[in-house]
Amino acid sequence: ATVCCRGGRAGERRVELVAGQSCRARWLDDNFYDATIHRVLGDGNVMVNWLRPRPVGIAADSAAPPILTVSEAGGDDSLHRIVLEADVQLRSHDGRLDSDVARRLFEARGEDDRVCVDCGGGGAEFASISFGTYLCASCAPFHCELGPRSSFVRELGNGHGWTAQDVRAMEIGGNAAFRARLEQLPAVQAMPRAERYASRFAEHYRRSLDALCIGAQAPPTLTAEAAVAAGAPP
């Protein structure tokens, strides 16, 4: 069963969808096919133009990324042109899909990131993007219960639905970075898990990771005494 949280978190930096962007979108058969954004409807939906197969010769050009088309899969590409924003995967400037970048990141994970940051168990197939850490299926529901404002959880899911911003948080973060910071604060490390994630340490860590992701100024250093307090830093 999927236990990941849906929707955004407070202050999440969403990718702006605009007309003309290249993407892949989910069609009626639940697979993703190449398209361009025709119009952003403003109600959580997007109208897309499904791509047609390239003319012979262009398709063989190694510089052109391969495309997957609805028509080649046997579908009618004049149908189902309105899709959910969540079912749109943008291409990067180099033509890569954000989901492909995420998948490669997950496949290349070191041993530290293949275990759960909370319990140390294997099979870490979920992530808290808020902390840049990996979670197992047993610990992910706890983070979902915290709410997306505190811990925004996604299933790795082969990268489907991941954005460039999500991937950036995991590239900069990681289990080792989170544990290293905890080791500097033994009092926080010794706290029960629920108290630790409700502490000023947790909020400060989230803000620091966000700042690193966007190149902003990091929040002021948190003292050991302040780290164990409940609530957000002043």
Side-chain angles (χ1 to χ4, degrees), residues 4-56:
C4 58
C5 300
R6 301 295 183 184
R9 54 182 168 144
E12 183 186 8
R13 299 173 305 281
R14 298 181 60 84
V15 176
E16 182 180 4
L17 302 179
V18 297
Q21 287 176 311
S22 297
C23 65
R24 277 186 181 167
R26 192 191 303 271
W27 200 64
L28 291 169
D29 61 1
D30 211 34
N31 291 315
F32 284 80
Y33 297 97
D34 283 280
T36 59
I37 295 176
H38 180 72
R39 187 190 311 158
V40 179
L41 302 180
D43 60 355
N45 293 297
V46 175
M47 179 179 287
V48 300
N49 295 321
W50 301 108
L51 295 192
R52 297 287 176 85
R54 291 192 180 106
V56 176

Short mmCIF file of all heavy atoms in Angstrom, two decimals, residues 4-56:
data_model
loop_
_atom_site.label_atom_id
_atom_site.label_comp_id
_atom_site.label_asym_id
_atom_site.label_seq_id
_atom_site.Cartn_x
_atom_site.Cartn_y
_atom_site.Cartn_z
N CYS A 4 2.67 7.37 0.98
CA CYS A 4 3.27 8.70 0.84
C CYS A 4 2.20 9.77 0.92
O CYS A 4 1.05 9.56 0.61
CB CYS A 4 4.02 8.81 -0.48
SG CYS A 4 3.04 8.49 -1.95
N CYS A 5 2.64 10.94 1.38
CA CYS A 5 1.73 12.07 1.50
C CYS A 5 1.54 12.71 0.14
O CYS A 5 2.47 12.77 -0.66
CB CYS A 5 2.30 13.10 2.46
SG CYS A 5 2.56 12.48 4.12
N ARG A 6 0.35 13.18 -0.10
CA ARG A 6 0.04 13.87 -1.36
C ARG A 6 -0.03 15.36 -1.12
O ARG A 6 -0.26 15.81 -0.01
CB ARG A 6 -1.31 13.38 -1.92
CG ARG A 6 -1.33 11.88 -2.19
CD ARG A 6 -0.36 11.52 -3.28
NE ARG A 6 -0.42 10.10 -3.60
CZ ARG A 6 0.39 9.52 -4.46
NH1 ARG A 6 1.32 10.21 -5.07
NH2 ARG A 6 0.29 8.23 -4.71
N GLY A 7 0.12 16.12 -2.21
CA GLY A 7 -0.01 17.58 -2.09
C GLY A 7 1.29 18.22 -1.69
O GLY A 7 2.30 17.56 -1.47
N GLY A 8 1.28 19.54 -1.57
CA GLY A 8 2.50 20.29 -1.29
C GLY A 8 2.65 20.58 0.18
O GLY A 8 1.79 20.31 0.99
N ARG A 9 3.79 21.12 0.52
CA ARG A 9 4.05 21.55 1.89
C ARG A 9 4.12 23.06 1.91
O ARG A 9 4.31 23.70 0.88
CB ARG A 9 5.37 20.96 2.38
CG ARG A 9 6.55 21.25 1.47
CD ARG A 9 7.82 20.61 1.98
NE ARG A 9 8.84 20.67 0.96
CZ ARG A 9 10.12 20.86 1.19
NH1 ARG A 9 10.55 21.03 2.41
NH2 ARG A 9 10.99 20.87 0.22
N ALA A 10 3.99 23.59 3.07
CA ALA A 10 4.04 25.05 3.19
C ALA A 10 5.38 25.55 2.69
O ALA A 10 6.43 25.05 3.07
CB ALA A 10 3.83 25.46 4.63
N GLY A 11 5.34 26.54 1.79
CA GLY A 11 6.58 27.12 1.29
C GLY A 11 7.28 26.28 0.24
O GLY A 11 8.38 26.58 -0.17
N GLU A 12 6.63 25.17 -0.21
CA GLU A 12 7.28 24.33 -1.21
C GLU A 12 7.45 25.12 -2.50
O GLU A 12 6.55 25.81 -2.96
CB GLU A 12 6.43 23.10 -1.49
CG GLU A 12 7.10 22.14 -2.47
CD GLU A 12 6.19 21.00 -2.86
OE1 GLU A 12 5.02 21.02 -2.50
OE2 GLU A 12 6.67 20.10 -3.55
N ARG A 13 8.60 24.99 -3.13
CA ARG A 13 8.87 25.68 -4.37
C ARG A 13 8.39 24.81 -5.52
O ARG A 13 9.03 23.83 -5.88
CB ARG A 13 10.37 25.99 -4.48
CG ARG A 13 10.90 26.87 -3.40
CD ARG A 13 12.39 27.00 -3.47
NE ARG A 13 13.05 25.71 -3.46
CZ ARG A 13 13.23 25.01 -2.36
NH1 ARG A 13 12.80 25.45 -1.20
NH2 ARG A 13 13.85 23.85 -2.41
N ARG A 14 7.25 25.14 -6.08
CA ARG A 14 6.69 24.36 -7.17
C ARG A 14 7.26 24.86 -8.49
O ARG A 14 7.50 26.05 -8.69
CB ARG A 14 5.17 24.45 -7.17
CG ARG A 14 4.52 23.92 -5.91
CD ARG A 14 3.02 24.03 -5.99
NE ARG A 14 2.50 23.28 -7.12
CZ ARG A 14 2.25 21.98 -7.09
NH1 ARG A 14 2.49 21.28 -6.01
NH2 ARG A 14 1.76 21.36 -8.15
N VAL A 15 7.42 23.94 -9.45
CA VAL A 15 7.84 24.31 -10.78
C VAL A 15 6.66 24.96 -11.49
O VAL A 15 5.55 24.42 -11.49
CB VAL A 15 8.31 23.07 -11.56
CG1 VAL A 15 8.66 23.45 -12.99
CG2 VAL A 15 9.51 22.44 -10.88
N GLU A 16 6.87 26.13 -12.07
CA GLU A 16 5.79 26.80 -12.79
C GLU A 16 5.62 26.17 -14.16
O GLU A 16 6.57 26.04 -14.94
CB GLU A 16 6.10 28.29 -12.94
CG GLU A 16 4.99 29.06 -13.62
CD GLU A 16 5.30 30.54 -13.76
OE1 GLU A 16 6.42 30.92 -13.38
OE2 GLU A 16 4.43 31.28 -14.25
N LEU A 17 4.40 25.75 -14.46
CA LEU A 17 4.09 25.19 -15.76
C LEU A 17 3.62 26.32 -16.67
O LEU A 17 2.77 27.11 -16.30
CB LEU A 17 2.99 24.13 -15.63
CG LEU A 17 3.28 22.95 -14.69
CD1 LEU A 17 2.10 22.00 -14.65
CD2 LEU A 17 4.54 22.22 -15.13
N VAL A 18 4.20 26.37 -17.86
CA VAL A 18 3.81 27.41 -18.82
C VAL A 18 3.65 26.78 -20.19
O VAL A 18 4.21 25.72 -20.49
CB VAL A 18 4.87 28.54 -18.90
CG1 VAL A 18 4.99 29.26 -17.58
CG2 VAL A 18 6.22 28.00 -19.34
N ALA A 19 2.87 27.42 -21.03
CA ALA A 19 2.61 26.92 -22.38
C ALA A 19 3.92 26.80 -23.15
O ALA A 19 4.80 27.65 -23.05
CB ALA A 19 1.65 27.85 -23.10
N GLY A 20 4.02 25.72 -23.91
CA GLY A 20 5.19 25.50 -24.75
C GLY A 20 6.25 24.60 -24.15
O GLY A 20 7.17 24.16 -24.86
N GLN A 21 6.15 24.31 -22.85
CA GLN A 21 7.16 23.45 -22.22
C GLN A 21 7.04 22.01 -22.71
O GLN A 21 5.94 21.50 -22.92
CB GLN A 21 7.02 23.48 -20.70
CG GLN A 21 7.47 24.77 -20.05
CD GLN A 21 7.21 24.78 -18.55
OE1 GLN A 21 6.11 24.46 -18.12
NE2 GLN A 21 8.21 25.14 -17.77
N SER A 22 8.19 21.37 -22.88
CA SER A 22 8.22 19.95 -23.24
C SER A 22 8.03 19.11 -21.99
O SER A 22 8.54 19.45 -20.92
CB SER A 22 9.56 19.59 -23.90
OG SER A 22 9.72 20.30 -25.11
N CYS A 23 7.32 18.02 -22.12
CA CYS A 23 7.02 17.21 -20.95
C CYS A 23 6.64 15.80 -21.37
O CYS A 23 6.57 15.48 -22.57
CB CYS A 23 5.86 17.83 -20.16
SG CYS A 23 4.28 17.84 -21.06
N ARG A 24 6.42 14.97 -20.39
CA ARG A 24 5.67 13.73 -20.56
C ARG A 24 4.47 13.80 -19.63
O ARG A 24 4.57 14.33 -18.53
CB ARG A 24 6.53 12.50 -20.25
CG ARG A 24 7.39 12.06 -21.43
CD ARG A 24 8.12 10.77 -21.19
NE ARG A 24 8.94 10.43 -22.35
CZ ARG A 24 9.89 9.50 -22.36
NH1 ARG A 24 10.13 8.81 -21.25
NH2 ARG A 24 10.57 9.25 -23.45
N ALA A 25 3.34 13.28 -20.09
CA ALA A 25 2.12 13.33 -19.29
C ALA A 25 1.45 11.97 -19.32
O ALA A 25 1.66 11.15 -20.23
CB ALA A 25 1.19 14.41 -19.84
N ARG A 26 0.64 11.74 -18.30
CA ARG A 26 -0.03 10.45 -18.15
C ARG A 26 -1.27 10.39 -19.05
O ARG A 26 -2.14 11.26 -19.00
CB ARG A 26 -0.44 10.23 -16.69
CG ARG A 26 -0.87 8.80 -16.39
CD ARG A 26 -1.51 8.70 -15.01
NE ARG A 26 -0.63 9.16 -13.96
CZ ARG A 26 0.23 8.38 -13.31
NH1 ARG A 26 0.34 7.10 -13.62
NH2 ARG A 26 0.98 8.88 -12.34
N TRP A 27 -1.35 9.33 -19.86
CA TRP A 27 -2.49 9.16 -20.75
C TRP A 27 -3.47 8.16 -20.14
O TRP A 27 -3.31 7.72 -18.99
CB TRP A 27 -2.01 8.69 -22.13
CG TRP A 27 -3.01 8.95 -23.23
CD1 TRP A 27 -3.45 10.16 -23.67
CD2 TRP A 27 -3.70 7.95 -23.98
NE1 TRP A 27 -4.37 9.99 -24.67
CE2 TRP A 27 -4.54 8.65 -24.89
CE3 TRP A 27 -3.68 6.56 -24.01
CZ2 TRP A 27 -5.36 7.99 -25.80
CZ3 TRP A 27 -4.49 5.91 -24.92
CH2 TRP A 27 -5.33 6.60 -25.81
N LEU A 28 -4.50 7.79 -20.88
CA LEU A 28 -5.57 6.94 -20.39
C LEU A 28 -5.10 5.56 -19.96
O LEU A 28 -5.73 4.91 -19.11
CB LEU A 28 -6.67 6.80 -21.47
CG LEU A 28 -7.49 8.07 -21.76
CD1 LEU A 28 -8.32 7.87 -23.01
CD2 LEU A 28 -8.36 8.41 -20.58
N ASP A 29 -4.01 5.07 -20.57
CA ASP A 29 -3.51 3.73 -20.22
C ASP A 29 -2.58 3.75 -19.03
O ASP A 29 -1.96 2.74 -18.70
CB ASP A 29 -2.82 3.08 -21.42
CG ASP A 29 -1.60 3.86 -21.88
OD1 ASP A 29 -1.27 4.91 -21.27
OD2 ASP A 29 -0.95 3.44 -22.87
N ASP A 30 -2.47 4.91 -18.37
CA ASP A 30 -1.66 5.10 -17.15
C ASP A 30 -0.17 5.16 -17.45
O ASP A 30 0.64 5.16 -16.52
CB ASP A 30 -1.95 4.01 -16.11
CG ASP A 30 -1.78 4.52 -14.68
OD1 ASP A 30 -2.09 5.70 -14.44
OD2 ASP A 30 -1.32 3.74 -13.81
N ASN A 31 0.22 5.21 -18.71
CA ASN A 31 1.62 5.38 -19.08
C ASN A 31 1.87 6.84 -19.44
O ASN A 31 0.94 7.60 -19.73
CB ASN A 31 1.97 4.48 -20.27
CG ASN A 31 1.97 3.01 -19.90
OD1 ASN A 31 2.51 2.63 -18.86
ND2 ASN A 31 1.35 2.18 -20.74
N PHE A 32 3.17 7.23 -19.45
CA PHE A 32 3.55 8.60 -19.74
C PHE A 32 4.06 8.69 -21.19
O PHE A 32 4.85 7.86 -21.64
CB PHE A 32 4.64 9.08 -18.78
CG PHE A 32 4.12 9.41 -17.42
CD1 PHE A 32 3.87 8.43 -16.48
CD2 PHE A 32 3.86 10.74 -17.06
CE1 PHE A 32 3.39 8.73 -15.22
CE2 PHE A 32 3.38 11.06 -15.80
CZ PHE A 32 3.14 10.05 -14.88
N TYR A 33 3.59 9.73 -21.90
CA TYR A 33 3.98 9.94 -23.28
C TYR A 33 4.41 11.39 -23.48
O TYR A 33 4.02 12.29 -22.73
CB TYR A 33 2.81 9.61 -24.22
CG TYR A 33 2.39 8.15 -24.16
CD1 TYR A 33 1.32 7.76 -23.37
CD2 TYR A 33 3.08 7.18 -24.88
CE1 TYR A 33 0.94 6.43 -23.29
CE2 TYR A 33 2.70 5.85 -24.82
CZ TYR A 33 1.63 5.48 -24.01
OH TYR A 33 1.26 4.16 -23.94
N ASP A 34 5.20 11.60 -24.53
CA ASP A 34 5.73 12.93 -24.79
C ASP A 34 4.65 13.88 -25.28
O ASP A 34 3.75 13.49 -26.04
CB ASP A 34 6.86 12.85 -25.81
CG ASP A 34 8.15 12.36 -25.18
OD1 ASP A 34 8.83 13.18 -24.54
OD2 ASP A 34 8.46 11.16 -25.31
N ALA A 35 4.76 15.13 -24.84
CA ALA A 35 3.77 16.15 -25.17
C ALA A 35 4.40 17.51 -24.98
O ALA A 35 5.54 17.64 -24.52
CB ALA A 35 2.54 16.00 -24.26
N THR A 36 3.66 18.54 -25.35
CA THR A 36 3.98 19.91 -24.97
C THR A 36 2.77 20.49 -24.26
O THR A 36 1.62 20.08 -24.52
CB THR A 36 4.34 20.78 -26.19
OG1 THR A 36 3.23 20.80 -27.09
CG2 THR A 36 5.58 20.26 -26.89
N ILE A 37 3.02 21.44 -23.37
CA ILE A 37 1.92 22.08 -22.66
C ILE A 37 1.28 23.11 -23.57
O ILE A 37 1.95 24.01 -24.08
CB ILE A 37 2.42 22.73 -21.36
CG1 ILE A 37 2.92 21.66 -20.39
CG2 ILE A 37 1.30 23.56 -20.71
CD1 ILE A 37 3.53 22.21 -19.12
N HIS A 38 -0.02 22.95 -23.81
CA HIS A 38 -0.76 23.89 -24.65
C HIS A 38 -1.30 25.05 -23.83
O HIS A 38 -1.23 26.21 -24.24
CB HIS A 38 -1.92 23.16 -25.35
CG HIS A 38 -2.75 24.05 -26.23
ND1 HIS A 38 -2.28 24.54 -27.43
CD2 HIS A 38 -4.01 24.55 -26.07
CE1 HIS A 38 -3.22 25.29 -27.99
NE2 HIS A 38 -4.27 25.33 -27.18
N ARG A 39 -1.84 24.72 -22.64
CA ARG A 39 -2.41 25.76 -21.80
C ARG A 39 -2.48 25.26 -20.37
O ARG A 39 -2.80 24.10 -20.12
CB ARG A 39 -3.81 26.14 -22.27
CG ARG A 39 -4.43 27.35 -21.53
CD ARG A 39 -5.90 27.49 -21.90
NE ARG A 39 -6.12 27.45 -23.35
CZ ARG A 39 -7.28 27.13 -23.90
NH1 ARG A 39 -8.32 26.83 -23.14
NH2 ARG A 39 -7.40 27.11 -25.22
N VAL A 40 -2.16 26.15 -19.41
CA VAL A 40 -2.34 25.85 -17.99
C VAL A 40 -3.70 26.40 -17.60
O VAL A 40 -3.95 27.61 -17.71
CB VAL A 40 -1.22 26.48 -17.14
CG1 VAL A 40 -1.44 26.18 -15.66
CG2 VAL A 40 0.14 25.99 -17.59
N LEU A 41 -4.59 25.53 -17.15
CA LEU A 41 -5.99 25.91 -16.95
C LEU A 41 -6.26 26.61 -15.63
O LEU A 41 -7.30 27.23 -15.45
CB LEU A 41 -6.88 24.68 -17.09
CG LEU A 41 -6.77 23.95 -18.44
CD1 LEU A 41 -7.69 22.75 -18.47
CD2 LEU A 41 -7.09 24.90 -19.59
N GLY A 42 -5.32 26.48 -14.67
CA GLY A 42 -5.48 27.21 -13.42
C GLY A 42 -6.34 26.53 -12.38
O GLY A 42 -6.55 27.07 -11.30
N ASP A 43 -6.86 25.35 -12.69
CA ASP A 43 -7.69 24.62 -11.74
C ASP A 43 -7.06 23.30 -11.33
O ASP A 43 -7.74 22.38 -10.88
CB ASP A 43 -9.08 24.36 -12.33
CG ASP A 43 -9.01 23.54 -13.63
OD1 ASP A 43 -7.88 23.26 -14.10
OD2 ASP A 43 -10.08 23.19 -14.16
N GLY A 44 -5.73 23.23 -11.50
CA GLY A 44 -5.03 21.98 -11.20
C GLY A 44 -4.89 21.08 -12.40
O GLY A 44 -4.34 19.98 -12.29
N ASN A 45 -5.36 21.55 -13.56
CA ASN A 45 -5.29 20.76 -14.79
C ASN A 45 -4.50 21.50 -15.85
O ASN A 45 -4.35 22.73 -15.81
CB ASN A 45 -6.69 20.46 -15.32
CG ASN A 45 -7.46 19.53 -14.41
OD1 ASN A 45 -7.07 18.38 -14.20
ND2 ASN A 45 -8.56 20.02 -13.84
N VAL A 46 -4.01 20.75 -16.81
CA VAL A 46 -3.22 21.29 -17.92
C VAL A 46 -3.74 20.68 -19.22
O VAL A 46 -4.07 19.49 -19.26
CB VAL A 46 -1.73 20.93 -17.75
CG1 VAL A 46 -0.92 21.38 -18.95
CG2 VAL A 46 -1.17 21.55 -16.48
N MET A 47 -3.82 21.48 -20.27
CA MET A 47 -4.13 20.95 -21.60
C MET A 47 -2.82 20.73 -22.34
O MET A 47 -1.96 21.61 -22.37
CB MET A 47 -5.02 21.91 -22.38
CG MET A 47 -5.36 21.42 -23.79
SD MET A 47 -6.43 22.55 -24.71
CE MET A 47 -7.97 22.27 -23.84
N VAL A 48 -2.65 19.54 -22.90
CA VAL A 48 -1.41 19.21 -23.59
C VAL A 48 -1.67 18.89 -25.05
O VAL A 48 -2.79 18.56 -25.45
CB VAL A 48 -0.70 18.00 -22.92
CG1 VAL A 48 -0.37 18.30 -21.47
CG2 VAL A 48 -1.54 16.73 -23.04
N ASN A 49 -0.62 19.00 -25.84
CA ASN A 49 -0.61 18.51 -27.21
C ASN A 49 0.28 17.28 -27.25
O ASN A 49 1.49 17.37 -26.97
CB ASN A 49 -0.05 19.57 -28.17
CG ASN A 49 -0.92 20.80 -28.25
OD1 ASN A 49 -2.15 20.71 -28.26
ND2 ASN A 49 -0.29 21.97 -28.31
N TRP A 50 -0.30 16.13 -27.53
CA TRP A 50 0.49 14.91 -27.61
C TRP A 50 1.36 14.95 -28.85
O TRP A 50 0.90 15.32 -29.94
CB TRP A 50 -0.42 13.68 -27.65
CG TRP A 50 -1.30 13.56 -26.45
CD1 TRP A 50 -2.64 13.76 -26.39
CD2 TRP A 50 -0.89 13.23 -25.12
NE1 TRP A 50 -3.10 13.58 -25.10
CE2 TRP A 50 -2.05 13.25 -24.30
CE3 TRP A 50 0.34 12.92 -24.53
CZ2 TRP A 50 -2.02 12.97 -22.94
CZ3 TRP A 50 0.37 12.64 -23.18
CH2 TRP A 50 -0.79 12.66 -22.39
N LEU A 51 2.63 14.58 -28.72
CA LEU A 51 3.54 14.62 -29.85
C LEU A 51 3.23 13.49 -30.83
O LEU A 51 2.76 12.41 -30.45
CB LEU A 51 4.99 14.50 -29.38
CG LEU A 51 5.55 15.65 -28.53
CD1 LEU A 51 7.06 15.49 -28.40
CD2 LEU A 51 5.19 17.01 -29.10
N ARG A 52 3.53 13.75 -32.08
CA ARG A 52 3.43 12.75 -33.13
C ARG A 52 4.82 12.17 -33.39
O ARG A 52 5.84 12.80 -33.09
CB ARG A 52 2.88 13.38 -34.42
CG ARG A 52 1.46 13.92 -34.28
CD ARG A 52 0.46 12.80 -34.21
NE ARG A 52 -0.89 13.26 -33.99
CZ ARG A 52 -1.73 13.66 -34.96
NH1 ARG A 52 -1.32 13.68 -36.22
NH2 ARG A 52 -2.96 14.05 -34.67
N PRO A 53 4.89 10.98 -33.97
CA PRO A 53 6.21 10.39 -34.27
C PRO A 53 7.02 11.31 -35.17
O PRO A 53 6.48 12.02 -36.03
CB PRO A 53 5.85 9.08 -34.99
CG PRO A 53 4.47 8.76 -34.51
CD PRO A 53 3.78 10.08 -34.33
N ARG A 54 8.33 11.33 -34.95
CA ARG A 54 9.21 12.15 -35.79
C ARG A 54 9.28 11.56 -37.20
O ARG A 54 9.20 10.35 -37.38
CB ARG A 54 10.62 12.20 -35.20
CG ARG A 54 10.73 12.97 -33.88
CD ARG A 54 12.20 13.18 -33.56
NE ARG A 54 12.37 13.92 -32.32
CZ ARG A 54 12.76 13.37 -31.18
NH1 ARG A 54 13.01 12.08 -31.12
NH2 ARG A 54 12.89 14.11 -30.09
N PRO A 55 9.49 12.42 -38.19
CA PRO A 55 9.70 11.91 -39.55
C PRO A 55 10.92 11.01 -39.61
O PRO A 55 11.87 11.16 -38.82
CB PRO A 55 9.91 13.19 -40.38
CG PRO A 55 9.27 14.28 -39.57
CD PRO A 55 9.47 13.89 -38.14
N VAL A 56 10.91 10.09 -40.51
CA VAL A 56 12.05 9.19 -40.69
C VAL A 56 13.30 10.02 -40.96
O VAL A 56 13.29 10.95 -41.77
CB VAL A 56 11.79 8.22 -41.86
CG1 VAL A 56 13.03 7.35 -42.11
CG2 VAL A 56 10.59 7.35 -41.58
#
